[in-house]
């Protein structure tokens, strides 16, 4: 899979931009703040409907305008597909496939697959659990697009249940009316939550060997990298509502949840909820569920967060992205699905050894898009076509880097 052409209208700093691309490596070179990341951010957004830099759409639309357009022509095998996405802050985004009538934006999920590496990826290891949950759910949606609806359903029910809990807290007492209504929402959230947890568990089983493989290729191989899904359906809750942290990986990794079917997970969820009503009312929030779960990352005998060195942290963050690339590229349900690899200003952050190892691993991808402030930061294995980014545009023509 590769992007043949990209055009932007009123996206970030670009009133208009058109860039011809192709298979192999393309390096966008330009000074910091010039707009290199804006280009690859648009590609990432077209793929995932989310940005790796901001959580809302408004900053993506050029200041003073009301709408942004991202268009691309995608080639997968022998088939070319045109995508168009309208970003309408405050309103529903819309999309077109092959210039057909507009559809909901999420209808385009799965057509363009990308894996984006960026300096922000350090948060996958050092950040709070929400960063790792977003990582899982983003990859899940890329792999199985209908899981965007799974996550949306869960978030909708969670908001409704939390509103009820806040109402009970404001009332100062937990009445029989609250209790009966909460029981109804418990069944709704258990059904939606079980579906999301099951999908995440299956994804972590796919990721685990590939994370270990990628980390071994990037680091010296003396430590085994592991990813363990920790659920609030297993064990005690911490004061924050998530699983109690510890220095020992839980027996069985996921606590045996991976062996349960959807109905068994739902029942486990209901059992966990029934132990929490008073505590949840006191807090005014739901304390059990995938919104509180954690993807624990381990290097050897210790959790990576708080124990890994800076270099180990970078290697593990890169390994998570490479594992995503392997999972998507090995998806037997979609032919020609090898993702477009995007490396956004990553090499400036890495030492020489990690630069060379990462470049050697990704150089064989069908399409690799790289941004860099200094061309010399790019390892020789990735010095393909170079485009120079200037304020508001990109130099016409491609030069050899």
């Amino acid at each position: 899979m590769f992007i043949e052409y990209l055009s932007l209208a009123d996206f970030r700093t670009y009133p208009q931009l058109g860039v011809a691309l192709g298979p192999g490596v393309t390096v966008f070179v330009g000074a910091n703040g010039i707009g290199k990341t804006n280009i690859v951010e648009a590609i990432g957004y077209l793929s995932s409907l989310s940005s790796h830099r901001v959580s809302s759409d408004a900053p993506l639309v050029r200041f003073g305008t009301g709408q942004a357009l991202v268009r691309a022509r995608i080639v997968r095998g022998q088939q070319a597909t045109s995508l168009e996405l309208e970003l309408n802050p405050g309103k529903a985004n819309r999309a077109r496939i092959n210039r057909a009538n507009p559809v909901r934006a999420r209808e385009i999920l799965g057509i363009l697959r990308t894996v984006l590496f960026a300096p922000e990826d350090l948060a996958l290891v050092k950040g709070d659990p929400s960063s790792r949950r977003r990582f899982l759910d983003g990859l899940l949606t890329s792999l199985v697009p209908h899981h965007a609806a799974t996550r949306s359903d869960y978030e909708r029910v969670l908001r409704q249940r939390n509103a009820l809990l806040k109402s009970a807290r404001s009332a100062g007492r937990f009445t029989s009316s609250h209790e009966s209504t909460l029981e109804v929402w418990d069944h709704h959230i258990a059904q939606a939550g079980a579906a999301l947890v099951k999908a995440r568990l299956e994804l972590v089983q796919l990721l685990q060997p590939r994370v270990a493989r990628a980390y071994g290729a990037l680091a010296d191989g003396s430590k085994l990298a592991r990813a363990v899904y920790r659920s609030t359906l297993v064990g005690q809750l911490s004061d924050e509502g998530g699983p109690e942290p510890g220095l020992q990986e839980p027996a069985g990794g996921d606590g045996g949840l991976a062996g349960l079917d959807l109905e068994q997970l739902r029942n486990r969820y209901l059992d966990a909820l029934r132990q929490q009503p008073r505590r949840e009312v006191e807090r005014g929030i739901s304390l059990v569920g995938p919104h509180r779960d954690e993807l624990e990352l381990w290097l050897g005998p210790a959790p990576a967060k708080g124990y890994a060195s800076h270099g180990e942290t970078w290697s593990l963050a890169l390994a998570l992205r490479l594992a995503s690339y392997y999972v998507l590229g090995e998806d037997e349900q979609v032919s020609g699905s090898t993702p477009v690899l995007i490396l956004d200003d990553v090499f400036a952050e890495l030492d020489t050894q990690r630069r060379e190892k990462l470049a050697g691993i990704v150089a064989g991808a069908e399409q690799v898009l790289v941004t860099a402030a200094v061309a010399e930061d790019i390892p020789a294995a990735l010095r393909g076509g170079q485009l120079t980014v200037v304020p508001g545009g990109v130099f016409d023509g491609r030069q050899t880097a």
Side-chain angles (χ1 to χ4, degrees):
M1 173 185 297
F2 65 92
I3 301 166
E4 190 174 52
Y5 191 80
L6 173 73
S7 70
L8 309 178
D10 291 324
F11 185 91
R12 287 284 194 180
T13 55
Y14 291 103
Q16 295 286 336
L17 179 72
V19 184
L21 299 168
V25 179
T26 299
V27 180
F28 294 93
V29 177
N32 290 328
I34 208 73
K36 305 183 300 297
T37 292
N38 297 346
I39 297 171
V40 295
E41 181 184 27
I43 294 170
Y45 197 97
L46 194 61
S47 167
S48 64
L49 304 184
S50 64
S51 163
H52 68 293
R53 302 161 78 192
V54 294
S55 58
S56 68
D57 291 349
L60 305 179
V61 178
R62 191 165 65 90
F63 187 75
T65 63
Q67 180 189 79
L69 291 176
V70 180
R71 300 183 181 94
R73 188 160 59 246
I74 316 301
V75 178
R76 186 168 65 192
Q78 301 301 312
Q79 180 179 2
T81 304
S82 295
L83 297 182
E84 179 181 300
L85 180 63
E86 295 178 3
L87 282 73
N88 302 299
K91 298 183 289 185
N93 294 338
R94 300 194 303 171
R96 289 181 174 84
I97 304 171
N98 291 328
R99 298 185 176 85
N101 291 330
V103 295
R104 292 181 303 174
R106 73 182 188 196
E107 296 296 321
I108 68 173
L109 287 170
I111 296 176
L112 171 62
R113 288 177 161 186
T114 64
V115 173
L116 191 150
F117 300 73
E120 290 83 355
D121 286 345
L122 280 181
L124 294 177
V125 182
K126 299 174 67 174
D128 61 38
S130 64
S131 299
R132 292 176 286 280
R133 290 193 294 265
R134 284 194 297 272
F135 164 75
L136 280 180
D137 291 341
L139 177 56
L140 188 61
T141 299
S142 293
L143 189 65
V144 187
H146 76 75
H147 280 310
T150 302
R151 184 175 59 180
S152 178
D153 289 346
Y154 178 77
E155 290 172 348
R156 175 180 53 80
V157 176
L158 178 64
R159 286 193 297 271
Q160 295 290 339
R161 189 174 187 274
N162 281 346
L164 175 63
L165 292 169
K166 289 176 183 175
S167 172
R169 184 179 64 173
S170 298
R173 59 195 182 98
F174 189 55
T175 66
S176 57
S177 174
H178 287 130
E179 185 173 8
S180 61
T181 307
L182 186 62
E183 185 176 357
V184 172
W185 283 113
D186 283 355
H187 282 84
H188 285 306
I189 203 168
Q191 187 69 37
L196 184 53
V197 168
K198 184 170 179 58
R200 285 181 180 175
L201 288 167
E202 291 172 348
L203 178 58
V204 172
Q205 286 187 313
L206 287 175
L207 277 173
Q208 171 51 51
R210 293 162 177 84
V211 170
R213 166 187 162 194
Y215 186 82
L218 288 165
D220 59 14
S222 61
K223 294 180 180 178
L224 175 65
R226 291 171 294 160
V228 179
Y229 191 82
R230 290 266 277 153
S231 173
T232 46
L233 304 186
V234 177
Q236 299 296 313
L237 295 175
S238 70
D239 289 340
E240 287 71 40
E244 285 283 8
L247 294 183
Q248 278 195 322
E249 180 182 329
D254 55 39
L257 294 181
L260 303 182
D261 62 24
L262 196 59
E263 184 65 15
Q264 290 171 320
L265 279 171
R266 188 186 73 85
N267 291 335
R268 179 73 71 89
Y269 205 154
L270 284 171
D271 289 343
L273 289 170
R274 287 165 183 152
Q275 298 173 26
Q276 298 298 321
R278 299 291 175 181
R279 193 161 180 243
E280 288 186 320
V281 170
E282 290 172 1
R283 300 283 296 275
I285 55 174
S286 300
L287 296 178
V288 176
H291 66 289
R292 291 270 172 165
D293 290 353
E294 164 70 297
L295 180 68
E296 284 189 352
L297 302 173
W298 291 71
L299 287 178
K305 186 175 180 179
Y307 289 84
S309 69
H310 184 70
E312 289 173 332
T313 299
W314 257 116
S315 292
L316 187 53
L318 294 171
L320 286 171
R321 293 301 185 192
L322 285 172
S324 303
Y325 175 71
Y326 297 147
V327 166
L328 291 170
E330 295 164 15
D331 181 12
E332 296 178 354
Q333 303 301 314
V334 182
S335 61
S337 64
T338 303
V340 174
L341 278 178
I342 302 172
L343 291 86
D344 180 26
D345 204 24
V346 168
F347 290 108
E349 304 287 338
L350 302 179
D351 58 41
T352 301
Q353 184 180 33
R354 286 182 174 82
R355 287 181 185 180
E356 297 298 335
K357 287 184 175 181
L358 178 60
I361 293 170
V362 306
E366 186 168 6
Q367 185 174 50
V368 184
L369 305 177
V370 184
T371 70
V374 180
E376 288 71 24
D377 284 345
I378 307 300
L382 291 179
R383 291 185 184 173
Q386 179 178 313
L387 297 175
T388 303
V389 182
V390 296
V394 175
F395 275 174
D396 290 335
R398 187 167 298 192
Q399 304 164 356
T400 299

